[in-house]
Amino acid sequence: MRPQVSLSGAHGSPTDRRLSALARHLADAHSAFSMDSQNANQTISPSPTAAFNGDSVFANVVRAPEDPILGVTVAYNKDTSPIKLNLGVGAYRTEEGKPLILNVVRRAEQMLVNDQSRVKEYLPIIGLADFNKLSAKLIFGADSPAIQENRVTTVQGLSGTGSLRVGAEFLAKHYHQRTIYIPQPTWGNHPKIFTIAGLSVKTYRYYDPSTRGLHFQGLLEDLGSAPTGAIVLLHACAHNPTGVDPTLEQWEQIRKLMRSKGLLPFFDSAYQGFASGSLDADAQAVRIFVADGGECLAAQSYAKNMGLYGERVGALSIVCRTADVASKVESQLKLVIRPMYSNPPIHGASIVATILKDRDMFHEWTIELKAMADRIITMRQKLFDALSSRGTPGDWSHIIKQIGMFTFTGLNTEQVAFMTKEYHIYMTSDGRISMAGLSSKTVPHLADAIHAAVTRIV
Ligand code: PLA
């Protein structure tokens, strides 16, 4: 029922008119509210009387399992053992086992804080313009013809995950093929991101457990039989979880095959610079696809390579055939973003832009980045040596052959469970360990645990 509102003289003074407008607004709000609550009763509440007799209207909600990766940290945090070790999530730790804030990041933050002219207004829907331009240059190369020809649109995203999600929503809405092929295995969040966005997820063979290397033949066969135009998710470098990347020659073959079938590449670049220590080397795969003039998408994350995990800073670029198409695509990306989170956060993107646009700071970043990559590579060697010296059964050379943040150990679920129970070592149940979470001090403990696991649990 609409409330009775009557104001005499509503057509009189400006005050009366304002009051009259307010009364109309309240009346409308009331009727809208009563409609909402009727709908809610019909569709959501399990019982119309639930709220009155003490039962929760959410009583039917089923408990969800923890996330397979982030849930490892939840379990780790509950463990009170002094020797516990978290090798689950890919988060860089120093030799002292501490999270690292890069010096260049601290410097950039200090500059931002000291700059009194900075404000905290909303960013545009697509984010910080400087950040977007510099991010495209970082991944495609400063001299990329696609950038010079304005064929690239870049929007700021909520780190790698958010950028993938925006790209996926855009494709589900505007691309004619709704099937995306993802590698088997891949980062556990990929299938969820793409499915929830409305794409249909299929897999292509990627990893061969018998060689602990790339299943190149299987990959070519599976992409070769994918329907024309299908989307293909490619890890730009440092494949997660396997640590196995195609060689440049293999990338070239993949590119030829994909272009001949009109498959659309969607690169996930979460580890640029983290794999080899070189930003350019780790972007090679992306760049050979862009160099042929064809189209592709790329999601970038600054979580790992700048250590900005919690700042949630990343970018989505879509390389198009022409500048006109790129600008139309950008207009539609805005329509994806606006109802999702309106516009992205300003702080992390400002840090990145500050570093990328200053030659000295950029140089300092590359040095710190290389130090992180090198420390991870050293940990690979140390773990390999420690297992060799223990005479641990099996071939462990994949530890030094694999690249990036993770080693895909080949340990099975039972062995992982054993290591967690007996040694308080936490890792994902697929046997992936974050090499970035390891230090010289903790290598012997891990090697002991692996040795015990493979000798006791076969
Ligand atoms: N893509 C890949 C391949 C990743 O491994 C990750 C992070 C992301 C995207 C997204 O990262 P971002 O949103 O934080 O930028 N993978 C981590 C963390 C490091 C995670 O699972 O969220 C991992 O441990 O696998």
Side-chain angles (χ1 to χ4, degrees), residues 47 49 110 118 121 127 134 152 170 195 241 256 267 330 355 403 410 420 439:
S47 128
T49 55
Q110 208 46 256
R118 285 181 53 79
E121 293 293 283
L134 293 160
V152 184
F170 169 80
T195 306
K256 278 199 189 117
F267 282 99
E330 184 170 300
I355 294 170
I403 188 160
T420 304
S439 69

Side-chain angles (χ1 to χ4, degrees), residues 55-365:
D55 287 348
S56 170
V57 293
F58 303 117
N60 293 345
V61 172
V62 177
R63 183 176 308 282
E66 290 285 358
D67 181 81
I69 297 175
L70 301 184
V72 173
T73 303
V74 176
Y76 167 85
N77 286 338
K78 285 185 192 149
D79 190 331
T80 53
S81 166
I83 57 158
K84 68 178 178 175
L85 183 57
N86 187 3
L87 304 177
V89 68
Y92 185 84
R93 296 287 177 265
T94 62
E95 267 291 285
E96 290 70 45
K98 299 265 180 324
L100 178 69
I101 299 181
L102 301 185
N103 281 327
V104 72
V105 166
R106 284 209 190 278
R107 210 142 72 78
E109 283 191 307
Q110 208 46 256
M111 285 165 65
L112 294 171
V113 168
N114 292 343
D115 181 352
Q116 294 295 321
S117 70
R118 285 181 53 79
V119 290
K120 297 209 183 276
E121 293 293 283
Y122 291 131
L123 284 180
I125 296 174
I126 62 165
L128 195 64
D130 270 358
F131 167 85
N132 290 338
K133 258 191 230 127
L134 293 160
S135 294
K137 282 191 178 170
L138 188 70
I139 189 156
F140 301 125
D143 53 357
S144 165
I147 296 177
Q148 280 154 16
E149 292 156 14
N150 287 321
R151 293 191 286 113
V152 184
T153 166
T154 305
V155 298
Q156 189 184 325
L158 305 187
S159 211
T161 309
S163 306
L164 288 165
R165 177 68 189 270
V166 168
E169 298 266 349
F170 169 80
L171 290 171
K173 213 161 169 214
H174 298 284
Y175 186 57
H176 66 280
Q177 240 301 351
R178 303 229 157 67
T179 305
I180 183 162
Y181 282 71
I182 61 175
Q184 172 61 38
T186 191
W187 179 48
N189 217 11
H190 279 148
K192 300 173 199 168
I193 291 170
F194 297 122
T195 306
I196 232 164
L199 298 174
S200 149
V201 173
K202 294 223 165 81
T203 59
Y204 62 90
R205 277 171 287 171
Y206 188 84
Y207 178 75
D208 184 351
S210 68
T211 62
R212 294 200 170 122
L214 186 68
H215 199 322
F216 191 49
Q217 203 49 43
L219 179 152
L220 293 178
E221 279 169 27
D222 292 348
L223 296 188
S225 53
T228 309
I231 309 155
V232 179
L233 181 91
L234 301 161
H235 293 228
C237 69
H239 182 273
N240 176 10
T242 67
V244 173
D245 284 349
T247 62
L248 271 186
E249 292 73 37
Q250 288 170 330
W251 273 120
E252 184 52 28
Q253 272 181 268
I254 297 169
R255 184 193 67 77
K256 278 199 189 117
L257 171 71
M258 286 184 57
R259 292 307 194 199
S260 73
K261 294 206 56 172
L263 302 175
L264 181 65
F266 192 163
F267 282 99
D268 181 357
S269 177
Y271 300 96
Q272 191 182 352
F274 230 76
S276 68
S278 154
L279 287 158
D280 288 325
D282 289 355
Q284 275 310 104
V286 177
R287 290 179 191 173
I288 64 169
F289 276 77
V290 177
D292 68 13
E295 305 187 301
C296 72
L297 290 84
Q300 283 169 271
S301 167
Y302 290 96
K304 271 68 73 172
N305 59 13
M306 254 190 220
L308 293 176
Y309 305 88
E311 296 291 356
R312 311 307 294 147
V313 48
L316 171 76
S317 287
I318 305 190
V319 180
C320 306
R321 284 269 183 212
T322 66
D324 180 50
V325 173
S327 79
K328 287 182 197 152
V329 166
E330 184 170 300
S331 72
Q332 288 294 340
L333 286 171
K334 287 193 204 170
L335 298 194
V336 172
I337 293 167
R338 172 67 167 147
M340 207 191 274
Y341 54 85
S342 193
N343 49 70
I346 196 167
H347 186 66
S350 305
I351 296 171
V352 173
T354 304
I355 294 170
L356 295 187
K357 75 176 153 206
D358 180 286
R359 191 199 285 247
D360 286 347
M361 292 181 99
F362 186 92
H363 181 65
E364 187 179 341
W365 175 43

